Amino acid sequence: MKPTRLDRLPEQLRQELRKARRERGWSQLELGRRIGIPQGHVSGIETGKVVPRFDTLLDLVRVLDRDLILVPRALVPAVQALARDYQEGREARLEAGTRPLYAAEESEGEPDGR
Amino acid sequence: MKPTRLDRLPEQLRQELRKARRERGWSQLELGRRIGIPQGHVSGIETGKVVPRFDTLLDLVRVLDRDLILVPRALVPAVQALARDYQEGREARLEAGTRPLYAAEESEGEPDGR
DNA sequence: CACGTTGATACAGTATAACAGATGAATTTG
DNA sequence: CAAATTCATCTGTTATACTGTATCAACGTG
């Protein structure tokens, strides 16, 4: 992995964001629309071109049904394992009927009135 | 809790930051020095006057031996409980010999070369 | 009391995130 | 193929995080 002094926003986190967005079948435009930021900005964040403010990132992860939480360093491995297992479970359930599952939902979930 | 449209940086998070800093016996000046930001800025963050960039907040929590991690919303309660229990354990151990424990360490731990 | 520390706040100047809008390449779709 | 979609990137403007410096009140300590 290139150190690319551009990952002031951790690459791992960026990948997870992109993955979560795609799981939902949302384009950057769609995701941006939901939290009120332009497509170009979503792109900049996902590619590591800009480091978002904390509140922006929080809006982003929450609309993707995730959250950012503060944990003691000692617990990081355990929590990550927990999260990974959980996700793998979801994915397994997902490919069972290879359908986006989320993509369909055109319920226009409240844009979280920013 | 007041909604105070100032908590774009969640109050709970701010309280935890302040608490963690004090546990270590560090002043805002000392904390700021360790990650390379001025005392006034630390104050602004702790009081909710400014919303830090994600990288700034990450530097902050890491020097306080915490981390920010992305988790599925469904796991938030579980992870928070885990973190709370862990902290309570530490505190109990701490007051046993009511001594800052951290405060002493003047090992000048690498300022995490920003 | 004089002195040092801590934390909040202010101000000016700089850096950059955020926004609006546009373009173009690659890919998908009709 | 033509049209639409998606995403990266660019330009210009605005908002604001961040820096450096300084002041002040509250507190504690010599």
Side-chain angles (χ1 to χ4, degrees):
Chain A
M1 297 291 173
K2 240 183 315 173
T4 53
R5 203 51 318 173
L6 271 178
D7 71 344
R8 287 188 301 172
L9 208 253
E11 162 147 9
Q12 196 209 335
L13 214 182
R14 302 202 317 263
Q15 296 311 323
E16 290 185 69
L17 278 181
R18 176 162 285 189
K19 183 153 168 270
R21 174 175 61 81
R22 288 184 169 150
E23 264 168 24
R24 235 130 297 213
W26 294 346
S27 64
Q28 292 178 342
L29 185 66
E30 172 68 9
L31 173 57
R33 193 186 57 71
R34 296 193 179 234
I35 65 173
I37 71 179
Q39 174 268 323
H41 197 37
V42 174
S43 170
I45 292 170
E46 286 188 354
T47 56
K49 296 283 184 299
V50 302
V51 180
R53 257 193 267 140
F54 183 73
D55 57 347
T56 303
L57 190 57
L58 207 48
D59 285 346
L60 221 37
V61 308
R62 286 183 172 166
V63 82
L64 291 170
D65 204 39
R66 309 280 150 102
D67 210 344
L68 281 172
I69 62 187
L70 186 69
V71 301
R73 283 209 129 169
L75 295 187
V76 171
V79 176
Q80 283 182 336
L82 206 66
R84 186 170 8 84
D85 291 351
Y86 180 83
Q87 286 303 330
E88 280 167 10
R90 284 202 61 79
E91 280 150 30
R93 250 168 285 133
L94 217 57
E95 59 185 297
T98 310
R99 146 209 43 162
L101 189 58
Y102 281 105
E105 322 274 359
E106 196 47 37
S107 54
E108 190 67 10
E110 40 186 330
D112 215 349
R114 210 223 225 286
Chain B
M1 294 292 169
K2 242 183 309 172
T4 53
R5 202 54 317 175
L6 271 176
D7 70 345
R8 287 188 301 173
L9 207 253
E11 162 147 8
Q12 195 209 335
L13 214 181
R14 302 203 317 262
Q15 296 311 324
E16 290 185 69
L17 278 181
R18 177 162 283 189
K19 182 153 167 272
R21 174 175 60 80
R22 289 184 168 150
E23 265 167 22
R24 236 131 296 214
W26 294 345
S27 64
Q28 293 179 342
L29 185 66
E30 171 69 9
L31 173 56
R33 191 186 59 71
R34 296 191 180 235
I35 65 172
I37 72 178
Q39 174 268 323
H41 197 37
V42 174
S43 170
I45 291 169
E46 286 188 354
T47 57
K49 296 284 184 299
V50 302
V51 180
R53 260 192 267 141
F54 183 74
D55 57 347
T56 303
L57 189 57
L58 206 48
D59 285 346
L60 221 36
V61 307
R62 286 182 171 167
V63 82
L64 290 170
D65 205 40
R66 308 280 150 101
D67 210 343
L68 282 171
I69 63 187
L70 186 69
V71 301
R73 281 211 132 169
L75 296 187
V76 172
V79 175
Q80 281 182 338
L82 206 66
R84 187 172 3 88
D85 290 351
Y86 180 83
Q87 286 304 330
E88 280 166 9
R90 284 202 61 78
E91 280 150 30
R93 251 167 285 132
L94 216 58
E95 59 185 296
T98 312
R99 144 209 46 163
L101 190 58
Y102 280 106
E105 322 272 359
E106 195 47 36
S107 56
E108 189 66 10
E110 40 186 330
D112 216 348
R114 213 225 226 282

